[in-house]
Amino acid sequence: MRLTGYVIRKTREMVTVYWELARIVVPVSIATEALSRLGVIEALSPLLSPAMDLFGLPPELGLAWLTGLLVGIWGAISLIFTLVPVTDLTAADITVFSALLLFAHALPIEQKIIQKAGPAMVLTISLRIGGGMLYAFLLHQVLAATGWLSAAADPAWIPMGSVTGWPDFFFGLVEALASMFCVLIGLVFALDILERSGVMALMMKTLSPVLRLAGIRREAEQFASVGLFLGISYGGGLLIREARSGTVPPRDIFVACIFMGFSHSIIEDTVVVMTIGADFTGVFVGRLLFTVVASAVIALMIRSVRDETFFAWMFRGARQTT
């Protein structure tokens, strides 16, 4: 009976988190897909083409970047070699463009989840896009100055965009929601077991120095770690629950969300862009180092901001001692 009660209680907790995520993912996914099919994204992409010059990239990739910002990584990489022949791209081009995608993608969904945890949506979107642009610009300058990765791009896989109908889209959406449900229910139980067994404390002890360097305090370390490895949907989803319980201070939630925005799904997303020719050092090592430094700077700034300003412009959750 005690085990049954435990399972029921944890399942209810998970369902609450899942419902919050589903309420965001479904309408935003449909709206974004509709905009894409109506040609709105393609119509707006010329506005981003001049920005490609900052990163030494062909202007045609502006459409792929905007698609990535709104739809996600998969939508962007399916366009890259359609817009620009692989023979016209270098390994540096693929690495720099991949860096832009990794920092900021699927913003309508991911940042809506972050907003539910408390941080202001416009501010966090600006920080993700700005952080990605800064890192891509610095990476481009280093690569251009050293000649590193100047060889022709050599992708292991060239994705081709596929035109599908609305039934295929909805089938994929249901499939994604089912996968999210399974992952979340496993995650809730796994985290509780790891915490009760002491394994979580050991894992956090190992990761803690890096997270502390990034300005993330103990209360938010677990959720930042989940986001780092599994993605914003899961790390952010758990943070929503904790934010409502009041166990994690708002400023710590904010910094953890910024950290997750810069680096999340660190294994899966890195492998995806490496298959199209991105360099590991540029999209993994450099990205993590930048994330730690940038998050630390933002954490210092956030903790120096007056409560009135913080809760008026940066955080919309419950007000408490921070």
Side-chain angles (χ1 to χ4, degrees):
M1 287 295 292
R2 292 178 64 186
L3 178 60
T4 302
Y6 166 77
V7 171
I8 292 173
R9 187 176 71 257
K10 283 296 174 184
T11 301
R12 282 176 177 167
E13 289 179 14
M14 185 283 302
V15 169
T16 301
V17 173
Y18 177 77
W19 175 240
E20 288 290 345
L21 294 177
R23 288 171 58 193
I24 296 168
V25 170
V26 172
V28 174
S29 295
I30 294 172
T32 304
E33 183 70 13
L35 289 174
S36 178
R37 290 173 183 269
L38 289 171
V40 175
I41 294 176
E42 185 174 0
L44 293 175
S45 64
L47 299 175
L48 295 183
S49 295
M52 294 294 97
D53 190 51
L54 288 171
F55 318 115
L57 297 172
E60 294 85 353
L61 289 182
L63 173 59
W65 186 30
L66 182 59
T67 301
L69 290 173
L70 297 178
V71 178
I73 289 178
W74 288 101
I77 63 174
S78 68
L79 288 175
I80 294 174
F81 301 114
T82 301
L83 296 169
V84 182
V86 65
T87 52
D88 293 348
L89 295 167
T90 66
D93 293 333
I94 297 296
T95 301
V96 171
F97 185 74
S98 295
L100 278 173
L101 288 180
L102 290 172
F103 272 87
H105 54 261
L107 294 177
I109 292 177
E110 292 189 347
Q111 295 312 114
K112 191 67 177 176
I113 293 171
I114 291 296
Q115 184 187 39
K116 283 285 185 179
M121 189 172 185
V122 173
L123 179 57
T124 53
I125 286 177
S126 300
L127 286 172
R128 280 187 71 179
I129 295 176
M133 291 179 67
L134 177 58
Y135 177 69
F137 175 76
L138 294 174
L139 183 60
H140 164 59
Q141 295 301 316
V142 170
L143 297 180
T146 61
W148 182 35
L149 302 180
S150 59
D154 184 23
W157 167 63
I158 298 180
M160 299 299 294
S162 58
V163 179
T164 59
W166 278 107
D168 295 309
F169 164 77
F170 281 111
F171 178 80
L173 181 58
V174 171
E175 198 173 41
L177 289 170
S179 298
M180 183 185 292
F181 182 90
C182 294
V183 171
L184 269 175
I185 197 165
L187 189 59
V188 167
F189 283 106
L191 287 175
D192 192 59
I193 292 169
L194 289 173
E195 193 166 341
R196 290 169 182 265
S197 65
V199 175
M200 180 62 73
L202 183 60
M203 292 171 61
M204 288 300 101
K205 188 175 181 180
T206 304
L207 274 174
S208 188
V210 175
L211 295 175
R212 277 197 210 134
L213 280 175
I216 298 172
R217 294 175 176 170
R218 188 173 301 277
E219 295 91 340
E221 286 180 356
Q222 176 180 323
F223 314 105
S225 300
V226 170
L228 179 66
F229 291 110
L230 294 181
I232 284 178
S233 293
Y234 306 113
L238 294 175
L239 262 179
I240 291 173
R241 183 185 65 183
E242 296 304 314
R244 290 181 176 175
S245 72
T247 57
V248 182
R251 293 176 199 261
D252 291 342
I253 291 174
F254 188 95
V255 176
C257 287
I258 296 303
F259 179 88
M260 285 192 293
F262 288 162
S263 285
H264 56 273
S265 299
I266 195 71
I267 297 173
E268 177 189 347
D269 288 354
T270 299
V271 170
V272 169
V273 297
M274 285 180 66
T275 63
I276 62 169
D279 176 75
F280 176 79
T281 305
V283 296
F284 185 90
V285 179
R287 179 188 176 199
L288 270 179
L289 289 174
F290 181 91
T291 295
V292 170
V293 173
S295 298
V297 171
I298 292 171
L300 287 173
M301 294 172 64
I302 288 300
R303 289 180 177 126
S304 67
V305 172
R306 292 168 59 89
D307 280 354
E308 290 77 8
T309 302
F310 179 73
F311 286 103
W313 300 100
M314 302 176 183
F315 196 91
R316 302 300 172 89
R319 184 166 180 160
Q320 57 178 264
T321 303
T322 60

